[in-house]
Amino acid sequence: MIPRLNISFSQKNQRAFWFGDAYVPAQGEYLLNHARSGIVMALRTALSKGGRVGVVAYNCHTVANAVVESGCTPIFVDVTEDLHMDVQYLAGLQLDAIVVTNLFGIHNDIAAIRAAQPNAIIIVDNAHGYGLPAEGDFTVYSINQGKMPALGAGGLLWVNSDQYQASIQQQYAALPSYSKSQELKLFITMLAKAWMHIPWIYGLITRRMKTHRGKIACREAVVLRRMAQGVSRMYQLALPAIAELIQQQRANAQQIEDTLMSKGLADRVWYGDNAFMAIARTKDTIGLSKYLAARGVESATHFARAIEWAKEFGYTEGQCPTAERLTKELLMIPTYRKI
């Protein structure tokens, strides 16, 4: 069974974790433990007294949670049929900031969003969008296991506006680093996750365990920390191969699109610039998921519980009708391996 998420930790990465050369960030770039940490830091800098922050309703709960953790209020925005932030919906809101999530690497039109909300701070969330440009006032990326590149507990914050550099630098200087014991714990955790996601182990054990998960706690304290040195070393090692990896994912995604569309198994299949996942739209997500599973491929209605999560942050049923419908019609298929 090919797991939907790429949870890898190769022997080469294991050696780099302890003995490789650490990545040296560029000016305006900050290495953090998660992308969500960057969102918190950006909002605390730009909206020190809090404010109303637009986030798409079809999203991970960690984004709204980061907004709350920063002292702000999430205001939910609908998406379009192709998973862009709905600019017309956005224009009717009063917002102080916007977190623009490039879902599955699908690039939003930041200029159009800026025109719809000219006075709002823009934070571009590229947790799925590594390879997309750093835009807006701030941009965050994720390099966590399961993302692309699939490394470890890591995120990057780019500060694109000079007016915020000094404040972010002050916050960053106060962040704790991983201790040696925390680095070791992270190493063991990453190794365990990688073993559990070896295809034959995943198919026999891990996938069955996942079906019994309870409700996810949406509201959790966001721990702000610098990136682990081990993850920074792995990132330095991975950099030369990332462009080739994106090209391979795009080829794999195109093969998925051709196969499903030629067989009439989906109404539409598409993918973002980095082809993080292929997105299949169908009224029969269960049937398509079974078809893929029979061929050794896991798929899932990624963010299927997005509306349930959003309600924990004040969302009202019917507020974002397109997002509500798409949570039931979209199936995400892995592209990091050829299917």
Side-chain angles (χ1 to χ4, degrees):
M1 173 65 67
I2 298 176
R4 176 173 53 93
L5 297 177
N6 185 11
I7 310 291
S8 61
F9 194 27
S10 68
Q11 290 187 359
K12 184 184 291 186
N13 276 337
Q14 291 172 38
R15 290 193 297 272
F17 187 96
W18 296 113
F19 306 114
D21 295 325
Y23 175 73
V24 179
Q27 184 175 357
E29 182 183 21
Y30 299 87
L31 308 185
L32 299 164
N33 56 337
H34 294 293
R36 73 196 73 160
S37 298
I39 294 174
V40 173
M41 289 178 64
L43 288 173
R44 285 180 177 174
T45 293
L47 302 177
S48 58
K49 297 181 180 179
R52 293 163 55 87
V53 181
V55 298
V56 289
Y58 186 89
N59 211 335
C60 181
H61 58 86
T62 56
V63 176
N65 191 72
V67 171
V68 171
E69 189 74 13
S70 72
C72 298
T73 302
I75 306 298
F76 292 98
V77 181
D78 209 352
V79 293
T80 63
E81 298 289 339
D82 54 3
L83 293 177
H84 290 108
M85 178 174 267
D86 189 326
V87 176
Q88 290 186 341
Y89 190 106
L90 188 68
L93 301 174
Q94 292 183 331
L95 300 173
D96 300 295
I98 308 166
V99 178
V100 183
T101 300
N102 287 323
L103 292 163
F104 311 109
I106 297 172
H107 189 212
N108 280 271
D109 186 342
I110 302 302
I113 291 171
R114 179 79 77 183
Q117 289 282 342
N119 298 317
I121 302 301
I122 294 181
I123 302 168
V124 177
D125 171 17
N126 274 332
H128 292 173
Y130 192 96
L132 296 182
E135 299 178 286
D137 299 290
F138 304 89
T139 306
V140 297
Y141 298 90
S142 176
I143 58 172
N144 206 345
Q145 282 177 310
K147 299 292 175 59
M148 200 296 295
L151 297 177
L156 300 96
L157 168 66
W158 278 90
V159 183
N160 307 317
S161 296
D162 291 341
Q163 69 186 99
Y164 301 120
Q165 292 285 359
S167 178
I168 289 292
Q169 179 59 48
Q170 186 177 8
Q171 282 193 68
Y172 190 74
L175 293 183
S177 301
Y178 279 71
S179 65
K180 290 293 184 183
S181 62
Q182 288 170 332
E183 291 263 352
L184 178 60
K185 181 180 178 181
L186 177 60
F187 180 90
I188 294 170
T189 300
M190 290 166 56
L191 188 61
K193 286 182 178 179
W195 273 95
M196 293 296 285
H197 282 75
I198 294 173
W200 71 268
I201 295 178
Y202 188 84
L204 288 175
I205 301 171
T206 316
R207 192 162 181 247
R208 296 181 183 182
M209 292 169 55
K210 286 171 64 177
T211 61
H212 301 292
R213 291 182 305 176
K215 184 176 180 180
I216 296 175
C218 296
R219 290 178 177 265
E220 299 176 317
V222 179
V223 177
L224 276 69
R225 182 182 287 162
R226 298 189 189 192
M227 184 185 292
Q229 278 294 303
V231 176
S232 173
R233 296 184 188 108
M234 290 167 57
Y235 183 50
Q236 175 64 30
L237 176 69
L239 277 173
I242 290 176
E244 183 179 348
L245 173 62
I246 291 174
Q247 290 304 311
Q248 185 59 56
Q249 289 183 168
R250 290 180 64 84
N252 292 348
Q254 186 62 55
Q255 178 258 328
I256 293 167
E257 179 181 355
D258 293 344
T259 300
L260 296 188
M261 294 303 293
S262 66
K263 294 181 180 296
L265 294 170
D267 300 323
R268 182 189 177 193
V269 180
W270 76 106
Y271 49 91
D273 289 5
N274 66 358
F276 172 58
M277 290 182 182
I279 307 158
R281 183 169 180 176
T282 174
K283 294 294 194 297
D284 184 15
T285 55
I286 294 175
L288 180 53
S289 184
K290 288 181 178 179
Y291 171 88
L292 292 165
R295 286 152 182 81
V297 180
E298 183 190 38
S299 57
T301 49
H302 204 81
F303 302 154
R305 298 168 69 179
I307 302 304
E308 175 188 337
W309 298 335
K311 288 179 179 178
E312 296 292 320
F313 298 95
Y315 180 86
T316 302
E317 191 84 31
Q319 188 175 335
C320 298
T322 304
E324 291 183 16
R325 177 165 44 79
L326 292 181
T327 58
K328 303 177 181 68
E329 296 180 358
L330 300 183
L331 199 67
M332 308 307 163
I333 306 165
T335 59
Y336 63 90
R337 291 191 183 189
K338 189 172 181 61
I339 293 174

